[in-house]
Amino acid sequence: MNGTLDIDPLDVLLGAEDVAPVRLGEAVIEKLTQAILDGRLKPGDALPSEGRIAASFGVSKQVAREAIRELAAMGVVHIQQGKVTRIRDLDAEPLGRFFRFAVRGSATGINEAIELRRILEPPTTRLAAKARSEAELANLAAILARMEESLGDVPSWIEADLDFHEAIGTMSGNRLLKFQIRALRPIISEIMEIFNSRGNRGPAEWRETYERHVRIFNAIKAGNANAAFDAMSQHFEAADAAVKELFSGG
């Protein structure tokens, strides 16, 4: 014997030697997610096989398999039949599925989604005004130009409008805010389709909505966090009453 320990590199990678023999499935998930969050496992990397994970953690293959399935449900890994499981970039899709399930088209759920957006976006816009880069401002200006070109064209307007708000979420520098805004996108898209398709929505109202976005952009561009917060708040105040009226009573 040479006096050295034979340590599996996978144990070091995943921190498997620290797992206590209780709630093994949860411990495996915790160790795997920690390895992803601190960069030991990166997006695109292959996840070790069920067998290797089971051996490294001292658990059954069934426990390892269930842990991997839960990670897939969280959107952390991507499982393909006959191929290696790979680490995914974090995205908003799992949260979006939850929001769609929670809302389920009910008037209560839709109003809650509107309220959540109103709570989230003014502070997000304040952060964006502080953190914006020149490249992000150029992207937001390009989206704003698309919005002006789309006045009266409901599908194109909705796409550009959603992109505008999502870009602000990204600009904030806060990943969780970005994911929240992106996850709400399918629900907000349905609301906007009904709202913007109203027969009494004339050119003047379209233009005023566009100008509210211009004021938001200008405040962000100027780096004026308070003005950005106020501009986004005023935008929602102008639209909320009409939107909530459309979806009340169900």
Side-chain angles (χ1 to χ4, degrees):
M1 295 180 63
N2 58 15
T4 62
L5 294 175
D6 183 14
I7 299 176
D8 188 333
L10 186 63
D11 292 347
V12 177
L13 175 67
L14 302 181
E17 70 279 3
D18 298 328
V19 171
V22 292
R23 293 194 302 231
L24 290 174
E26 293 179 20
V28 171
I29 292 169
E30 177 65 24
K31 290 294 182 179
L32 289 172
T33 53
Q34 189 57 52
I36 294 166
L37 290 172
D38 66 21
R40 282 173 284 152
L41 289 172
K42 298 178 176 60
D45 285 352
L47 191 70
S49 67
E50 288 177 6
R52 289 203 68 196
I53 290 174
S56 184
F57 286 107
V59 299
S60 68
K61 284 189 176 182
Q62 180 63 27
V63 169
R65 184 177 304 119
E66 289 303 319
I68 293 170
R69 286 176 178 169
E70 187 160 341
L71 289 172
M74 293 163 58
V76 174
V77 302
H78 180 55
I79 299 174
Q80 283 185 290
Q81 189 68 31
K83 297 183 179 180
V84 296
T85 297
R86 294 196 177 274
I87 310 301
R88 293 182 55 176
D89 275 314
L90 291 179
D91 62 40
E93 179 53 33
L95 183 59
R97 288 198 298 269
F98 169 78
F99 280 151
R100 291 193 293 274
F101 175 77
V103 171
R104 295 191 301 275
S106 72
T108 297
I110 287 170
N111 278 309
E112 288 173 343
I114 294 167
E115 289 171 356
L116 176 58
R117 192 178 181 215
R118 183 172 180 173
I119 290 167
L120 287 174
E121 294 209 34
T124 301
T125 309
R126 187 200 299 274
L127 290 174
K130 297 177 180 179
R132 81 280 188 273
S133 68
E134 290 302 317
E136 288 170 331
L137 284 172
N139 178 56
L140 198 61
I143 296 171
L144 194 60
R146 284 170 48 207
M147 294 180 71
E148 186 170 26
E149 293 170 359
S150 301
L151 289 172
D153 180 347
V154 172
S156 298
W157 169 270
I158 290 174
E159 193 69 18
D161 193 346
L162 291 170
D163 287 348
F164 183 90
H165 290 268
E166 193 170 307
I168 292 173
T170 300
M171 195 182 295
S172 75
N174 185 307
R175 292 186 310 155
L176 297 184
L177 287 172
K178 177 183 73 173
F179 290 152
Q180 290 267 13
I181 293 169
R182 185 173 296 170
L184 284 167
R185 182 172 180 133
I187 298 168
I188 300 304
S189 179
E190 292 179 14
I191 295 170
M192 290 176 67
E193 184 172 353
I194 297 171
F195 178 72
N196 287 294
S197 297
R198 291 171 299 148
N200 61 348
R201 184 163 167 77
E205 188 177 347
W206 279 102
R207 175 58 61 173
E208 174 52 32
T209 304
Y210 167 74
E211 292 297 337
R212 291 200 301 270
H213 287 82
V214 171
R215 289 192 285 274
I216 294 166
F217 171 80
N218 287 338
I220 293 173
K221 183 178 180 180
N224 190 327
N226 289 335
F229 180 96
D230 291 343
M232 184 63 80
S233 297
Q234 290 162 11
H235 170 54
F236 280 110
E237 287 169 5
D240 270 3
V243 172
K244 287 188 175 182
E245 185 178 345
L246 287 173
F247 296 99
S248 64

